[in-house]
Amino acid sequence: MHNSMAAYDQKKEACGTICLKYLLFTFNFLFWLAGGTVMAVGIWTLVEKSDYIILLSSSTYAASAYILIVAGAIVMVTGVLGCCATFKEQRRLLRVYFVLLLCIFLLEVIAGVLAYIYYQKLNAELKENLKYMMVEKYRQLSKERVTQAVDKLQQEFKCCGSNSSSDWVESKWVRSAEAKGRAVPDSCCKTPTSICGHRDHPSNIYRVEGGCITKLENFILEHLKIISAVGIGIACVQIVGMVVTCCLYQNLKGEPY
């Protein structure tokens, strides 16, 4: 009777271990896919919209994207390691896997905190920096990236000037002979053509309430929301993974280290 009970307990424990293994394997596969998604969001933020990063005085926005890329890469490596640890049933590998999960979790928390802090001070930063970039650095020597970013911003978001088109009156470039009498850059025009910036009438140029500040702020806020949502989503999944890892680790207590 005692032997049959012991055999039943062993069978039950083995069944539990198998269930945990397959659960953790499924988690790792989903985790690996999530890592690719996280990397994609980070790379998209930097590559597709990198022009606008130069218009920001703070590097927090770029830093949060870089953290996502690093976290995504670690997630993908960790997913593969997790699969190996699960099928080889080695507690040492499970410990390494758990530590990596914890590190990724902390990276995502840092990215989330940075995004939240930046969210709070974004409006003040844009008000302080965007007009300065347009007035002082647009079309100036060695400032080609700023010029390209401003032109892209005005065309893509259909706006003109930092707060309004009248901001360009103070521009170094508009006041110079190089502007050839333009009141605003050609990128302010609804239909951009050479020298179209001569006429700053509403029928010719974009006039948006709040100017480009409002447009760029809304754009960055949307990106911060995506970064935060991705980070929170992966973090929640990780907590499940860490719990399952701990359970499997305990079930393998009799296994070699």
Side-chain angles (χ1 to χ4, degrees), residues 14-26:
C15 183
T17 301
I18 290 168
C19 289
L20 285 170
K21 279 174 63 177
Y22 281 105
L23 185 61
L24 195 54
F25 176 78
T26 304

Side-chain angles (χ1 to χ4, degrees), residues 148-187:
Q148 180 186 355
V150 170
D151 285 338
K152 185 177 179 180
L153 175 68
Q154 294 191 140
Q155 273 297 295
E156 194 166 299
F157 292 119
K158 296 178 170 56
C159 58
C160 183
S162 178
N163 295 292
S164 69
S165 57
S166 59
D167 290 337
W168 286 107
V169 173
E170 304 171 42
S171 166
K172 281 184 177 180
W173 174 72
V174 166
R175 290 179 174 183
S176 70
E178 189 188 344
K180 298 179 180 177
R182 290 180 180 88
V184 294
D186 294 341
S187 57

